[in-house]
Amino acid sequence: MFRNTKLQLLATGAVLIATVSAICPVEGPLLARPTNLSKSIPVSAATRNLTKVLQSALNGTINPGFNTANTSFSVGIVSLDSPSPIWEFHHRGTANVNGTSKVDADTQYLVGSISKMISNLMILRTGVDTEAKITEFVPELKGKSAIDWESITFEALGAHLSGIPPNSGFSEFYYLLPVLEQLGFPPLTKDDFPDCGVTALNTACSKEQLLQNVLNYEPIAPPFQRPVYSSFSLSLLAYALQNITGNNYTELLNEYVINPLGLVNTGASPGNTSRAAIPPIDSSWGGDYLDNTPGGGLFSSLSDLSIIAQRTLNKSILSTPAEVRKWLKPSSFTSSLNSLVGMPWEIFRSTNLTPSHPHTIDIYSKSGGAFGYTSQISLVDQYGIGIIVLTAGPADAQPILSDLLAAMILPAAEDEARTQSAKYTNHLTAIDKTNVTIEMDLELDSGPGLKLKNFTRNGTSLLDSLEKFWSIAMVQFGPLDPDIRVHPADISNPAMMPNPSNSSTEIEVIKEEWLITFSTQPNTAARIGSELPGQGAMKDWCTSWQLAGWINWGGEPIDRCSSPVFEGDVKAINELKLETGVIEEEF
Ligand SMILES: *[C@@H]1O[C@H](CO)[C@@H](O)[C@H](O)[C@H]1NC(C)=O
Ligand SMILES: *[C@@H]1O[C@H](CO)[C@@H](O)[C@H](O)[C@H]1NC(C)=O
Ligand SMILES: *[C@@H]1O[C@H](CO)[C@@H](O)[C@H](O)[C@H]1NC(C)=O
Ligand SMILES: *[C@@H]1O[C@H](CO)[C@@H](O)[C@H](O)[C@H]1NC(C)=O
Ligand SMILES: *[C@@H]1O[C@H](CO)[C@@H](O)[C@H](O)[C@H]1NC(C)=O
Ligand SMILES: *[C@@H]1O[C@H](CO)[C@@H](O)[C@H](O)[C@H]1NC(C)=O
Ligand SMILES: *[C@@H]1O[C@H](CO)[C@@H](O)[C@H](O)[C@H]1NC(C)=O
Ligand SMILES: *[C@@H]1O[C@H](CO)[C@@H](O)[C@H](O)[C@H]1NC(C)=O
Ligand SMILES: *[C@@H]1O[C@H](CO)[C@@H](O)[C@H](O)[C@H]1NC(C)=O
Ligand SMILES: *[C@@H]1O[C@H](CO)[C@@H](O)[C@H](O)[C@H]1NC(C)=O
Ligand SMILES: *[C@@H]1O[C@H](CO)[C@@H](O)[C@H](O)[C@H]1NC(C)=O
Ligand SMILES: *[C@@H]1O[C@H](CO)[C@@H](O)[C@H](O)[C@H]1NC(C)=O
């Protein structure tokens, strides 16, 4: 029954290498989120590098791939420690003669669909029930319609899951009519277009017209079937909120977002021309988006978006941290493993963003475009980092700058997280309740999080015992992956500890919870020895989330460790661990 673990490891060495890539560590931070990033050596090196490459692009030494004379931009990196960016860079295109003469963190840009993120934030901050049906508060939608309005909730609208068409009116291309007819599009007359909201043909739609026209729309998908991008959804949500609160969108925006967060350069277009970046090309600057404002008509600045990013990353932007965690989750998927959709996040999931330590990173982004403006805000909760790119000019600068910032800063954040986690890799010794010595070695190797290298109680290897235990009691989960990892549980609490330099006194510490993460080995033909076809078809299924906290011993989950950490004093932490032992692990 008991297998000889050491022999098995030798015999299955080749298989083990193959299974390492299938490890599924916890979702989210694999090591504690790095703090004090503005003082970090790798992060400072990366931001100095960013400044240098941007200067080189602007002085013509390297080709940025966009026209720097016609483009103004404000870019910055935010960390969860501070509402001011840890790094920022501004450029005013020489052809940009209008607007502000000095582009800085307070310069106003149209942010296009970043408005959707701000409007969703506003809705969540009002505390309305996001499961409410839109028909309850926009009674016009109870009319006869091919769209199943009764199934459409606030959340469906906010998260692009209503399946309704994206826009009303302005996605008609009447102004290109002669060109498109020449290109072979069927000929149309003015009467063929909607009666409102068509650029260059008629005036903006009134609320009554919008709600009348929308009843005639065909659905693009049934509600909750798949994500279908929608701007008009946000207008409907603004109508519903007006019904609930009695206040219009701009009033709600002021009351729930702009005033409480202290934003000074954010609002419904038109903004203040003397404070704006205005491109020399055709642009929407100065326009009034009327009822389309909630989905795309706001202006904002690097400073204001930094405040939103930082308060989101530190989980204080909604009434509880749990609500923020819920906001930073996908609501649906695309057909790509790399693209998920939230409310209204565009979530890019990649394993290639930190090449020296590849692992899954989710970037919660919202991009925005208005005529003459493109922008993107990106949040990486794993590192507590936000990346903000605002541009005024031709549309090509934004993706170039967003890629540049992400590719330079994320590897530096990973390096800093690893540097800060080095304090956990001491040989740890603890005395448990029964006066028996427990020892543990954590290693910062190339894999995810910390590796649990050695774990003994009174000299017996608990790692070996665990594998034997697993083969007796946990077989239904599949065999234990011997590569056992330790990750932060994202739970910490203040606690008191005996003072290591004066045992008659106590000191206040932060007790961090860490989790030992167990994974199981996938079913593969090589491991099982089965000659039946198809073995390994589902080998990428991630099991570790199903095993957290599962195994208890005397009322305690065995995968949970606590460790007190002095705020800001790494040296003291090491001494404390060595001298008094802090691992409350039992087996
Ligand atoms: C700066 O960027 C260049 C080009 O990407 C890279 O080769 C170099 O390692 C970077 N230096 C630092 C300190 O990040
Ligand atoms: C361009 O900027 C880079 C980075 O600041 C600098 O090293 C280089 O000397 C500059 N080149 C010219 C021609 O000004
Ligand atoms: C989050 O950051 C804000 C400052 O932007 C600060 O006032 C607040 O205390 C922070 N909250 C937490 C939980 O860190
Ligand atoms: C608000 O919604 C209620 C319930 O559907 C409806 O009776 C009322 O007429 C609406 N008010 C406005 C101003 O639309
Ligand atoms: C919203 O209400 C305010 C205050 O009543 C008013 O000044 C403003 O014009 C309204 N905005 C819209 C878009 O109706
Ligand atoms: C626009 O900005 C300028 C410069 O900051 C300021 O002097 C002016 O009062 C602002 N105008 C409005 C209407 O806020
Ligand atoms: C600057 O603004 C003026 C007045 O609105 C306009 O006539 C002119 O075309 C603008 N110039 C550029 C380069 O945007
Ligand atoms: C810059 O903008 C001007 C004015 O719209 C335009 O004539 C010119 O072609 C643009 N240059 C580039 C490189 O895009
Ligand atoms: C543990 O050791 C201490 C000091 O050696 C002793 O006072 C205590 O009774 C022991 N506790 C147990 C449970 O053996
Ligand atoms: C594990 O720790 C024990 C006790 O400190 C030690 O005897 C043993 O050599 C260590 N094993 C490894 C693989 O480090
Ligand atoms: C610890 O190990 C020693 C030596 O193997 C043994 O004599 C002792 O009984 C063990 N103590 C406990 C509490 O298991
Ligand atoms: C950040 O750095 C400052 C100054 O060096 C220090 O006072 C503070 O304790 C540090 N905070 C953390 C969380 O390391």
Side-chain angles (χ1 to χ4, degrees):
M1 186 91 183
F2 280 55
R3 286 176 297 169
N4 181 322
T5 310
K6 290 236 167 65
L7 277 181
Q8 197 205 1
L9 287 183
L10 283 177
T12 59
V15 178
L16 283 181
I17 290 166
T19 61
V20 164
S21 64
I23 283 178
C24 80
V26 288
E27 199 282 326
L30 303 175
L31 295 168
R33 288 182 191 81
T35 57
N36 273 2
L37 283 186
S38 60
K39 305 215 169 58
S40 147
I41 291 169
V43 168
S44 305
T47 55
R48 269 198 308 277
N49 216 349
L50 272 173
T51 302
K52 215 167 129 194
V53 294
L54 286 171
Q55 283 169 347
S56 302
L58 294 174
N59 73 18
T61 312
I62 58 177
N63 175 10
F66 63 91
N67 182 265
T68 56
N70 280 357
T71 308
S72 292
F73 61 84
S74 293
V75 297
I77 290 167
V78 190
S79 84
L80 59 71
D81 294 330
S82 159
S84 311
I86 56 170
W87 171 86
E88 59 190 284
F89 191 100
H90 306 274
H91 166 68
R92 182 170 184 256
T94 50
N96 291 10
V97 295
N98 287 338
T100 182
S101 56
K102 182 173 180 288
V103 169
D104 61 21
D106 292 322
T107 297
Q108 299 180 359
Y109 291 79
L110 286 180
V111 295
S113 292
I114 289 181
S115 309
K116 292 182 178 63
M117 185 272 283
I118 298 174
S119 298
N120 270 309
L121 175 63
M122 179 196 92
I123 291 162
L124 294 172
R125 285 175 65 97
T126 64
V128 297
D129 175 11
T130 54
E131 311 236 316
K133 290 177 182 174
I134 190 73
T135 48
E136 277 182 54
F137 304 104
V138 187
E140 292 87 340
L141 298 176
K142 287 186 168 149
K144 192 172 169 336
S145 172
I147 293 172
D148 176 12
W149 291 105
E150 289 292 339
S151 296
I152 295 178
T153 60
F154 287 11
E155 191 172 11
L157 292 164
H160 301 299
L161 278 169
S162 65
I164 68 169
N167 296 304
S168 172
F170 93 87
S171 53
E172 291 281 359
F173 292 87
Y174 171 77
Y175 63 97
L176 294 175
L177 189 66
V179 180
L180 294 181
E181 282 183 1
Q182 261 188 0
L183 291 175
F185 279 48
L188 293 177
T189 68
K190 290 182 182 190
D191 294 341
D192 294 320
F193 289 89
D195 61 353
C196 64
V198 179
T199 307
L201 177 63
N202 48 36
T203 54
C205 301
S206 66
K207 178 180 171 187
E208 292 68 32
Q209 282 175 308
L210 280 172
L211 292 176
Q212 193 51 49
N213 290 350
V214 83
L215 289 179
N216 299 325
Y217 289 164
E218 296 292 331
I220 291 178
F224 293 108
Q225 174 64 35
R226 64 175 71 90
V228 175
Y229 193 78
S230 176
S231 282
F232 183 55
S233 293
L234 278 300
S235 306
L236 289 175
L237 284 168
Y239 296 149
L241 260 79
Q242 181 157 11
N243 182 302
I244 294 169
T245 64
N247 290 337
N248 68 27
Y249 174 75
T250 41
E251 290 172 311
L252 292 169
L253 193 67
N254 284 327
E255 184 182 344
Y256 287 99
V257 177
I258 292 175
N259 297 337
L261 295 180
L263 309 185
V264 290
N265 282 295
T266 299
S269 176
N272 183 335
T273 297
S274 67
R275 305 177 77 153
I278 300 180
I281 57 171
D282 274 349
S283 93
S284 306
W285 183 261
D288 187 338
Y289 285 72
L290 301 167
D291 285 14
N292 293 321
T293 304
L298 300 183
F299 63 88
S300 191
S301 67
L302 179 68
S303 299
D304 284 358
L305 290 175
S306 297
I307 290 172
I308 292 179
Q310 186 260 339
R311 293 280 304 265
T312 307
L313 292 166
N314 91 349
K315 313 289 193 303
S316 70
I317 203 155
L318 298 175
S319 51
T320 63
E323 282 178 47
V324 185
R325 288 189 213 108
K326 182 179 178 207
W327 192 31
L328 296 179
K329 287 282 175 293
S331 306
S332 62
F333 301 86
T334 70
S335 58
S336 160
L337 294 179
N338 304 104
S339 309
L340 297 82
V341 181
M343 182 180 167
W345 302 109
E346 292 147 11
I347 306 161
F348 177 61
R349 164 164 275 207
S350 171
T351 52
N352 299 329
L353 293 163
T354 49
S356 63
H357 295 99
H359 64 276
T360 303
I361 293 178
D362 293 320
I363 304 186
Y364 280 72
S365 293
K366 187 69 201 83
S367 57
F371 280 121
Y373 292 87
T374 49
S375 50
Q376 180 152 313
I377 180 168
S378 306
L379 305 179
V380 187
D381 179 48
Q382 181 169 129
Y383 298 120
I385 280 189
I387 298 170
I388 297 164
V389 171
L390 299 173
T391 75
D396 44 9
Q398 185 278 115
I400 294 171
L401 294 170
S402 293
D403 276 8
L404 170 72
L405 266 60
M408 303 270 281
I409 201 67
L410 297 179
E414 171 70 17
D415 284 352
E416 182 59 22
R418 295 174 69 82
T419 302
Q420 292 187 12
S421 290
K423 64 183 179 228
Y424 299 104
T425 59
N426 296 304
H427 177 73
L428 304 175
T429 308
I431 312 290
D432 76 5
K433 287 181 209 150
T434 57
N435 275 352
V436 166
T437 302
I438 295 183
E439 290 176 88
M440 184 187 253
D441 288 292
L442 295 172
E443 188 186 25
L444 204 50
D445 63 358
S446 60
L450 294 160
K451 182 181 175 69
L452 182 55
K453 206 177 101 191
N454 194 8
F455 186 17
T456 61
R457 178 178 178 276
N458 199 24
T460 301
S461 167
L462 293 182
L463 286 182
D464 291 350
S465 307
L466 192 61
E467 197 163 344
K468 286 167 192 153
F469 156 73
W470 203 275
S471 69
I472 301 166
M474 296 286 286
V475 274
Q476 71 275 27
F477 290 93
L480 181 66
D481 189 324
D483 189 9
I484 295 176
R485 300 270 148 190
V486 180
H487 304 294
D490 258 319
I491 296 170
S492 61
N493 290 296
M496 300 304 288
M497 286 274 308
N499 186 341
S501 46
N502 176 2
S503 56
S504 63
T505 61
E506 288 206 313
I507 47 166
E508 197 170 327
V509 294
I510 302 288
K511 201 163 146 190
E512 293 179 355
E513 303 289 335
W514 287 64
L515 281 178
I516 299 175
T517 297
F518 301 124
S519 289
T520 55
Q521 297 179 43
N523 184 48
T524 58
R527 186 174 67 72
I528 299 293
S530 171
E531 290 181 350
L532 288 172
Q535 302 311 301
M538 301 188 200
K539 68 179 169 37
D540 293 332
W541 174 251
C542 176
T543 54
S544 61
W545 67 277
Q546 296 170 310
L547 298 165
W550 189 274
I551 304 165
N552 284 267
W553 189 248
E556 299 267 357
I558 69 158
D559 51 0
R560 185 171 160 148
C561 326
S562 307
S563 124
V565 172
F566 281 119
E567 268 182 275
D569 194 344
V570 171
K571 235 178 161 184
I573 299 162
N574 295 346
E575 285 166 12
L576 187 69
K577 283 187 174 175
L578 285 170
E579 288 178 22
T580 64
V582 297
I583 303 296
E584 294 193 345
E585 181 61 27
E586 287 173 55
F587 184 74

